[in-house]
Amino acid sequence: MSDRENGQTTQPRATMQDVARAAGVSLKSVSRVINAEPHVSQKLLDKVQAAIHELRYVPDTAARSLAGQRHFMLGVLLDNPSPHYTMRLVAGAYEACRQHRYTLQFDNIYAAEGPGHQAERIEQILHSSRLDGMILTPPTSDVPELLDSLERKGLPYVRIAPGQDTERSARVTVDDRDAVRQVADYFWERGHRRFGLVRGLWSHPSSRIRRDAFVERLRSHSPDVSIIEADGDYTFEGGLRAGEELLSARRPATAVFASNDDGAAGVMTAAMRLGLKVPHDVSVIGFDDSWVAKSVWPSLTTVRQPLEEMGHAAAQMLISRALGGHHGTFANRHFEHRFIERGTVRTIA
Amino acid sequence: MSDRENGQTTQPRATMQDVARAAGVSLKSVSRVINAEPHVSQKLLDKVQAAIHELRYVPDTAARSLAGQRHFMLGVLLDNPSPHYTMRLVAGAYEACRQHRYTLQFDNIYAAEGPGHQAERIEQILHSSRLDGMILTPPTSDVPELLDSLERKGLPYVRIAPGQDTERSARVTVDDRDAVRQVADYFWERGHRRFGLVRGLWSHPSSRIRRDAFVERLRSHSPDVSIIEADGDYTFEGGLRAGEELLSARRPATAVFASNDDGAAGVMTAAMRLGLKVPHDVSVIGFDDSWVAKSVWPSLTTVRQPLEEMGHAAAQMLISRALGGHHGTFANRHFEHRFIERGTVRTIA
DNA sequence: GTCGGGATTGACAGCGCTGTCAAGACAGCG
DNA sequence: CGCTGTCTTGACAGCGCTGTCAATCCCGAC
């Protein structure tokens, strides 16, 4: 491998003891400063901070974990097939962790294997790692067995975008309904009256929510508006099939909302194959602002979830909690979507 | 938050001491078994393993780190804009880490900010975290300043797919040349004689390598073969522009190789806009087998790098090293690409 | 039967930090 | 001026494990 282990140039890292000595105070006082504990005089604070800075002191996480009851590690439960989605969420959570010198552990829980397996898997995860908290990402946020296990173990957790039984725990939410209404209105205001809807995967609560919001909003504009629905199962393939169905109907849709971007890309391809031009002949809006949104032409009008911020918030909640925060009350941070106007919607004269 | 901290049901985790007692041996003997040290009799081994199993003992990483000189943490240096690429590499590395109860720390190094900033950034990373090794992913594998810093600190590292100065360190390689030759032959054998090439980003060594291999291979078939080149900078947009250039030339290419999938998707879109059908009028091959490869129609013929395996191998090398392995010699694990035949290439009569 | 040497096992001192508890400092009050 | 209560500071044990070193065991060779 590539190195020389004999740290010729590397002087040993400063310890808390070193800082204490340099500042002329006790070990424990340095500890107090590091942990921002109360009852520290300004004078002592200054001395210690100067010494810390001077020695470039960085506390040793392993020692802190061993001696105290924090462990500087959070877990994230993952089971989302979309790398882009996962990546953004995790990036946000990771950033929050880094800021507090925490580490993030990733755990894939395979929903496909059924709730029994999942419960077993999480028990194992909890037993074998010392965590200060757990972040549940969709679709794991809605598996009751998981929540049960977590509660039994007494591990704090935060659910991201839970679909059901929302009040049960701390959570980070985002209002899909609201975003979908914007989509519906956007189409409506541009003169569209015949709609297509590509549904997602029924096992994800988000799927039903998005569908219902879209349909309801449109009906509120006109009770007997035309909406053709088809299943797209959140994939390109699914969107392709759904698109062909929607666009080759007798009175085809002029505006299609796909429950995610992959599906929307499928619809665009279907349009192309049917000789329809986007947005001239069909308008399309996606959901997620994933990577593909910019890998199609025209680039896709879509809705972006602030996933990084959501992940960040979730981790932040857990970290504050570990520092000795808010017991009893279930925090809830809410975020808004951002509508991203690009090139796939046309205004009908 | 969602829990009860008073672990009513949670009995304390077993410690090594507990195991020693249960097995009727000394603490140190259990430690030997856990660390697979030599000089342990079969009888003792059995007793200890039984006790470990019985008590569901899991060693405490923090304590091990504190007491020993391993820290059970590896770092990955990231600076690749493609989430899919990063994700796959990291997933593999992470899996290897999990198997050995290691943790992976991610660090973004912003190449765009220039080598000076990077060196500073890595110094800071190395100073503030206790790592057993570092994995460099492209394009960080080719920043000499980074390697210098790592070596100065004496931290073992492995470079993934380094482009230059390969022998300098341990590494995990994959032969782009070989894969690109396959691509060239694949086109050639199917009767194509007029080629288009979408180049990548010059700052990535891979870009030049892929380009050269493609051109050389084709020339080896026929010295004055027609190859039109255009810059695609590894993005969809770039591929789109490059595609329009290549396909609207006087004697347009019938087969286009794009240095990555995003670029290939751009070429396909360009073809569509020019009224050309893929693969009937133009054949396209990409590189990476990224998410978009299946989000276009027809789905993209491409080349897949075994990124998970590569990440896994890199982490594995570092972990073995930390266990006290191969000093002096620079390991090198080599991987092969896999050619993925899908629907974007046509055989010319 | 005895000795040398390697194989096997264990005792023990910390690693760097936090939690506990007690001591010292200091202000206010009678 | 002494006493009490609060604020600040420090001493100390020990978290769970590994590295060191010494003790013990077992074997073949003499």
Side-chain angles (χ1 to χ4, degrees):
Chain A
M1 224 127 302
S2 335
D3 67 321
R4 323 158 231 177
E5 197 66 290
N6 48 2
Q8 339 84 306
T9 42
T10 317
Q11 84 282 51
R13 231 174 280 258
T15 72
M16 191 175 270
Q17 189 58 258
D18 297 332
V19 176
R21 213 158 11 233
V25 302
S26 80
L27 186 60
K28 181 62 196 178
S29 292
V30 180
S31 169
R32 288 206 177 85
V33 171
I34 289 290
N35 294 294
E37 286 176 32
H39 308 313
V40 175
S41 71
Q42 188 60 46
K43 218 176 95 192
L44 190 147
L45 186 72
D46 293 341
K47 277 193 297 187
V48 172
Q49 285 184 328
I52 287 175
H53 191 77
E54 172 72 28
L55 297 169
R56 302 188 62 207
Y57 171 65
V58 178
D60 182 322
T61 307
R64 297 226 274 172
S65 163
L66 187 56
Q69 11 63 194
R70 294 167 72 192
H71 296 102
F72 302 92
M73 176 115 103
L74 298 183
V76 214
L77 236 40
L78 265 17
D79 186 31
N80 201 110
S82 156
H84 201 247
Y85 183 93
T86 303
M87 192 90 187
R88 289 183 55 208
L89 219 39
V90 163
Y94 195 83
E95 186 50 34
C97 286
R98 182 213 301 291
Q99 287 165 5
H100 297 272
R101 317 197 52 73
Y102 263 66
T103 295
L104 200 53
Q105 164 179 310
F106 308 95
D107 294 290
N108 250 99
I109 202 93
Y110 301 99
E113 297 180 1
H117 270 274
Q118 289 176 216
E120 195 177 300
R121 181 104 177 70
I122 188 124
E123 295 287 350
Q124 193 220 96
I125 291 169
L126 295 183
H127 180 78
S128 64
S129 32
R130 304 181 144 281
L131 264 26
D132 289 338
M134 190 97 207
I135 300 173
L136 306 203
T137 67
T140 67
S141 315
D142 285 306
V143 182
E145 287 80 5
L146 252 28
L147 312 190
D148 293 343
S149 291
L150 256 6
E151 283 167 19
R152 213 174 310 118
K153 272 280 184 183
L155 189 72
Y157 67 91
V158 172
R159 288 190 291 159
I160 291 186
Q164 8 177 94
D165 205 0
T166 315
E167 307 287 309
R168 176 169 178 178
S169 69
R171 61 205 174 272
V172 172
T173 55
V174 62
D175 194 350
D176 275 15
R177 257 172 303 268
D178 204 61
V180 172
R181 277 184 219 118
Q182 270 186 67
V183 169
D185 291 353
Y186 189 86
F187 276 148
W188 188 267
E189 287 159 9
R190 278 160 187 71
H192 292 276
R193 292 301 178 267
R194 291 205 312 281
F195 302 92
L197 169 64
V198 178
R199 291 183 298 226
L201 214 48
W202 287 117
S203 57
H204 285 46
S206 64
S207 183
R208 151 149 259 122
I209 291 173
R210 292 176 195 175
R211 181 262 171 204
D212 289 351
F214 188 70
V215 172
E216 275 166 26
R217 184 58 157 204
L218 252 19
R219 292 221 195 293
S220 82
H221 286 304
S222 161
D224 42 35
V225 60
S226 150
I227 307 175
I228 320 177
E229 301 184 31
D231 280 316
D233 70 13
Y234 281 149
T235 65
F236 174 82
E237 280 288 346
L240 188 58
R241 281 192 305 271
E244 294 191 327
E245 190 179 329
L246 301 176
L247 299 177
S248 55
R250 264 178 306 137
R251 306 193 63 223
T254 65
V256 178
F257 168 52
S259 306
N260 77 332
D261 287 349
D262 285 320
V267 171
M268 289 176 71
T269 298
M272 186 200 74
R273 289 173 60 182
L274 292 169
L276 268 21
K277 290 224 180 308
V278 175
H280 186 270
D281 306 311
V282 212
S283 294
V284 181
I285 293 183
F287 204 99
D288 281 348
D289 193 28
S290 71
W291 192 258
V292 293
K294 286 192 208 150
S295 294
V296 291
W297 194 89
S299 54
L300 186 65
T301 292
T302 186
V303 171
R304 185 182 176 88
Q305 305 189 51
L307 294 176
E308 289 88 354
E309 288 89 331
M310 291 166 67
H312 190 102
Q316 187 60 63
M317 283 164 75
L318 256 7
I319 293 171
S320 320
R321 173 65 161 73
L323 274 167
H326 354 259
H327 293 251
T329 162
F330 288 159
N332 175 18
R333 290 264 273 129
H334 186 78
F335 290 85
E336 301 288 335
H337 286 270
R338 199 151 58 85
F339 187 82
I340 310 225
E341 208 167 346
R342 286 202 272 247
T344 50
V345 177
R346 172 190 169 216
T347 298
I348 290 184
Chain B
M1 227 127 299
S2 334
D3 68 321
R4 322 158 229 176
E5 199 65 289
N6 47 2
Q8 337 86 304
T9 43
T10 318
Q11 85 282 49
R13 232 173 278 256
T15 71
M16 192 176 269
Q17 190 58 257
D18 298 332
V19 176
R21 218 165 358 239
V25 301
S26 81
L27 185 60
K28 181 62 197 180
S29 292
V30 180
S31 170
R32 288 207 176 85
V33 172
I34 289 290
N35 293 295
E37 286 176 31
H39 309 313
V40 175
S41 72
Q42 187 61 48
K43 218 176 97 190
L44 190 147
L45 186 72
D46 292 341
K47 279 193 298 187
V48 172
Q49 284 184 328
I52 287 174
H53 191 77
E54 172 71 29
L55 296 169
R56 302 186 63 206
Y57 171 66
V58 178
D60 182 323
T61 306
R64 298 227 272 171
S65 162
L66 186 56
Q69 10 64 193
R70 293 168 70 192
H71 296 101
F72 302 91
M73 176 116 104
L74 298 183
V76 214
L77 236 39
L78 265 18
D79 186 33
N80 201 106
S82 156
H84 200 247
Y85 183 92
T86 304
M87 193 89 188
R88 289 183 55 207
L89 219 38
V90 163
Y94 194 83
E95 186 50 33
C97 285
R98 183 214 300 290
Q99 287 165 6
H100 298 273
R101 315 197 53 74
Y102 263 68
T103 296
L104 199 55
Q105 165 180 307
F106 309 95
D107 294 289
N108 250 100
I109 203 95
Y110 301 100
E113 296 180 2
H117 271 272
Q118 289 176 215
E120 196 176 299
R121 181 105 177 71
I122 189 126
E123 296 287 350
Q124 193 218 97
I125 291 169
L126 296 182
H127 181 78
S128 64
S129 32
R130 305 181 144 283
L131 264 26
D132 289 338
M134 191 98 205
I135 299 173
L136 306 202
T137 68
T140 66
S141 315
D142 285 306
V143 182
E145 287 80 4
L146 253 29
L147 311 191
D148 293 343
S149 292
L150 256 6
E151 283 167 18
R152 213 175 311 120
K153 273 279 184 184
L155 189 71
Y157 66 91
V158 172
R159 289 190 290 160
I160 291 186
Q164 8 177 97
D165 205 0
T166 315
E167 307 288 309
R168 175 168 177 179
S169 68
R171 61 207 174 270
V172 171
T173 56
V174 62
D175 194 352
D176 276 15
R177 256 171 304 266
D178 203 60
V180 172
R181 277 184 218 119
Q182 270 187 66
V183 169
D185 291 353
Y186 190 86
F187 276 148
W188 187 267
E189 287 159 11
R190 278 161 188 69
H192 292 276
R193 292 300 179 265
R194 292 205 312 281
F195 303 91
L197 169 64
V198 179
R199 293 183 297 227
L201 214 47
W202 288 116
S203 56
H204 285 47
S206 63
S207 184
R208 152 150 258 122
I209 291 172
R210 293 177 195 174
R211 182 262 171 206
D212 289 352
F214 188 70
V215 171
E216 274 166 27
R217 184 59 159 202
L218 251 21
R219 292 221 195 294
S220 84
H221 286 304
S222 162
D224 41 36
V225 60
S226 149
I227 307 174
I228 319 177
E229 301 183 33
D231 280 316
D233 70 13
Y234 281 148
T235 65
F236 174 83
E237 279 288 348
L240 189 59
R241 280 192 305 271
E244 294 189 328
E245 190 178 329
L246 302 178
L247 300 177
S248 56
R250 266 179 304 140
R251 306 193 62 224
T254 65
V256 178
F257 168 51
S259 306
N260 77 333
D261 287 350
D262 285 320
V267 171
M268 288 176 72
T269 298
M272 186 199 76
R273 289 173 59 182
L274 291 170
L276 267 24
K277 289 223 181 308
V278 175
H280 186 270
D281 306 312
V282 211
S283 294
V284 181
I285 293 183
F287 205 97
D288 281 349
D289 192 27
S290 72
W291 193 258
V292 294
K294 287 191 207 151
S295 295
V296 292
W297 194 89
S299 55
L300 186 66
T301 292
T302 186
V303 171
R304 184 181 177 89
Q305 306 190 50
L307 295 176
E308 289 87 354
E309 288 90 330
M310 290 167 67
H312 190 101
Q316 188 62 62
M317 283 164 74
L318 257 6
I319 294 171
S320 320
R321 173 66 162 71
L323 275 168
H326 354 257
H327 292 252
T329 162
F330 289 159
N332 175 18
R333 289 264 274 128
H334 186 77
F335 290 85
E336 300 289 333
H337 286 270
R338 199 150 57 84
F339 188 81
I340 310 229
E341 207 167 348
R342 286 201 272 248
T344 49
V345 177
R346 174 190 167 215
T347 298
I348 291 183

